[in-house]
Amino acid sequence: MVIAMFGFVILLSGKASSRTVENDEVPSRPQQIEEHYQRAKVRTSDLENGVTAVIGKIYINASAKNIWAAITDYNNQKHFVPKLIDSGLISDNGREQVMFEKGKTGYLFFKKTVYIKLSIRGDYPQRLSFRQIEGDFKIYEGDWLIDRAPDGKGFVLTFQAKIKPNFFAPPMFVRKVQEHDLPMVLTAMKKRAESAESSLRASRASSQKKFPPPSGNSIIAE
């Protein structure tokens, strides 16, 4: 599961979603949809009291199951998510998961190591809601969404959050960090899920070659 923190994104922890992503300046022609979301789209805005809103989307040509597996791979995210130093699952009672992440953040001259502990609840594999229970933010809460893409083939992974650091950082700076780092995290999730999907398809193809289904004229001995 990935979550975008102040300068780096934290991964979060889920049946395939039947919802369809509503038009967000998405091309009307189905063949253009995948191309539209191949590269991460990120938008940010300033809310009241110094809170920053961020939303990012990316198209993933993989099953919802493999996308969910990528964003919930807490113990291995440091190996494939940029700027993560460490992460892991702390507890899981079946209703709520608690995980932590530590990573590097920064933009231009500002550099900082950030820690966050998250409470996570979700509806597999459509939505994950998260909120900080300990760490370097006054506010860090949001959702991961996995929605069927309009082309009916892949899925669109969405990250949306409200963020307010517990250290001095002007909202404009927070926006710049999110616009820089969130696309890297979304791209990492895309590569991870599509790689797993490719491996699964190759395994199935190999198995079919070794054990082809019987032809219609095959005679099965009693």
Side-chain angles (χ1 to χ4, degrees):
M1 116 189 143
V2 184
I3 301 179
M5 290 179 51
F6 169 53
F8 77 105
V9 179
I10 289 185
L11 297 176
L12 307 178
S13 37
K15 170 173 180 168
S17 173
S18 60
R19 294 175 295 164
T20 298
V21 177
E22 296 181 358
N23 284 339
D24 178 23
E25 298 182 355
V26 176
S28 58
R29 298 175 62 186
Q31 61 267 32
Q32 295 177 326
I33 293 172
E34 179 176 350
E35 181 180 353
H36 176 77
Y37 279 122
Q38 278 295 339
R39 298 181 63 181
K41 309 291 184 180
V42 175
R43 292 184 299 170
T44 60
S45 60
D46 295 330
L47 304 180
E48 295 181 350
N49 301 317
V51 177
T52 298
V54 57
I55 181 169
K57 298 173 180 284
I58 195 167
Y59 180 97
I60 302 181
N61 186 19
S63 66
K65 178 181 179 180
N66 279 330
I67 297 172
W68 188 273
I71 64 175
T72 58
D73 192 5
Y74 308 117
N75 296 325
N76 292 308
Q77 289 169 358
K78 59 180 174 287
H79 300 305
F80 65 92
V81 177
K83 297 189 177 183
L84 270 184
I85 298 172
D86 196 12
S87 66
L89 179 66
I90 297 174
S91 65
D92 184 353
N93 63 16
R95 301 182 306 277
E96 175 189 40
Q97 293 180 316
V98 176
M99 63 86 67
F100 79 94
E101 288 201 351
K102 181 180 180 182
K104 297 179 180 179
T105 184
Y107 184 73
L108 297 177
F109 58 87
F110 181 84
K111 305 293 181 183
K112 185 176 178 61
T113 297
V114 183
Y115 171 83
I116 190 169
K117 183 189 289 186
L118 297 170
S119 169
I120 304 162
R121 293 175 180 267
D123 178 18
Y124 172 88
Q126 298 174 341
R127 176 191 292 268
L128 282 171
S129 298
F130 55 88
R131 62 180 179 84
Q132 177 187 273
I133 54 178
E134 180 183 323
D136 293 320
F137 295 83
K138 291 182 179 179
I139 298 175
Y140 198 92
E141 60 186 27
D143 304 279
W144 278 99
L145 304 172
I146 301 175
D147 292 293
R148 176 72 70 179
D151 66 359
K153 298 178 181 179
F155 288 83
V156 174
L157 175 63
T158 300
F159 174 86
Q160 57 187 27
K162 295 179 181 179
I163 303 169
K164 184 177 182 179
N166 198 24
F167 48 88
F168 175 72
M172 181 179 70
F173 186 82
V174 178
R175 291 178 62 177
K176 287 293 185 180
V177 171
Q178 292 296 321
E179 290 166 3
H180 178 265
D181 286 1
L182 183 53
M184 292 191 292
V185 176
L186 291 170
T187 299
M189 294 302 106
K190 174 183 175 67
K191 290 181 178 179
R192 187 76 168 184
E194 291 183 347
S195 177
E197 192 79 13
S198 179
S199 295
L200 179 60
R201 290 170 180 170
S203 178
R204 287 174 176 171
S206 177
S207 178
Q208 289 176 354
K209 288 181 180 179
K210 290 181 180 179
F211 307 101
S215 66
N217 295 327
S218 298
I219 298 177
I220 302 176
E222 292 291 339

